[in-house]
């Protein structure tokens, strides 16, 4: 399997063609963006940390029976994944009020929700990812009703896996975003599972361990991500190239 040219360059990753049409390479960059790309920076070690964390978390959810595009880790920045047709829907699961949910309904951040809430957003940079509904998604042809039901079910399973996993290292999963893709008739979890797309608060202190540190100028994201790596792997981030 040889790497070929970049097919698509996103804000935090590159998608690279391989000589197998069914497989692509995801390469994690050090770039961070927020507010639909209006705020940008390069964050030392972010690509390597997110690559490692994404592998760790994806393997956990696969063990729980959630199908994923993930095939294997190639090196410290690159993953081999199955090529999918991305569904233009972002699935957000929330356990505690925060972010756009708290703002939209004018409630405080940090209020536990009585049960996990699943929201869907239309994946469109041009429109700033607006909130959507299953009815709109079906009507506008983004996904079939059975696909939306499947994504909701899988997202709730992922939530249970992540809450348990992070609970072991004293971290609360506040919310997170997933994307799914089609391979023929089947749906699989696609994209990354990393602190770029999750809110993670230290249990007890509420300290933010995710990309909100960058979005909200709360400190050094590079250090935050290296610390999260250490917490999850119980070892320091290896030196570059090791
Ligand atoms: P929100 O509160 O801003 O709607 O974000 C909910 C979750 O989704 C949060 O964990 C961060 C994640 N997220 C992304 O992964 N990408 C995005 O573009 C946005 C806005 C949020
Ligand atoms: N999707 C947002 C952006 O580009 C990132 C975020 O807030 O998570 O800038």
């Amino acid at each position: 399997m040889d790497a070929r040219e970049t097919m698509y360059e996103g804000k935090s990753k590159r998608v690279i063609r391989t000589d197998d049409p069914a497989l692509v390479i995801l390469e994690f960059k050090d770039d961070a963006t927020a507010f639909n790309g209006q705020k940008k920076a390069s964050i030392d070690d972010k690509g390597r940390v997110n690559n490692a964390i994404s592998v760790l978390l994806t393997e956990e959810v696969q063990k729980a029976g959630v199908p994923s595009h993930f095939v294997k880790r190639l090196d410290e920045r690159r993953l081999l994944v199955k090529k999918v047709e991305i569904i233009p829907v972002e699935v957000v699961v929330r356990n505690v009020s925060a972010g756009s949910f708290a703002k939209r309904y004018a409630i405080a951040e940090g209020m536990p929700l009585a049960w996990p809430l699943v929201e869907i957003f239309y994946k469109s940079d041009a429109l700033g990812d607006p909130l959507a509904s299953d009815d709109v998604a079906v009507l506008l042809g983004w996904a079939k009703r059975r696909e939306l039901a499947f994504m909701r079910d899988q997202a709730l399973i992922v939530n249970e896996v992540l809450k348990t996993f992070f609970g072991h290292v004293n971290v609360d999963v506040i919310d997170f975003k997933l994307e799914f893709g089609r391979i023929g008739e089947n749906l699989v979890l696609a994209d990354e599972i990393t602190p770029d797309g999750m809110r993670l608060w230290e249990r007890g202190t509420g300290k933010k361990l995710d990309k909100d540190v960058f979005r909200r100028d709360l400190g050094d994201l590079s250090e935050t991500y290296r610390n999260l790596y250490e917490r999850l792997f119980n070892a320091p981030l290896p030196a570059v190239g090791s």
Side-chain angles (χ1 to χ4, degrees), residues 11 33-39 90 125 129 196-197 211 215:
K11 286 178 286 211
T33 67
F35 314 116
N36 204 9
Q38 289 174 56
K39 178 171 175 175
E90 299 195 345
D125 280 345
D129 299 344
D196 272 18
K211 203 171 95 178
R215 294 192 191 95

Side-chain angles (χ1 to χ4, degrees), residues 1 21 32 34 44 80 150 189 212 241:
M1 189 277 321
D44 283 349
L80 186 65
F150 178 81
L189 197 55
D212 268 351

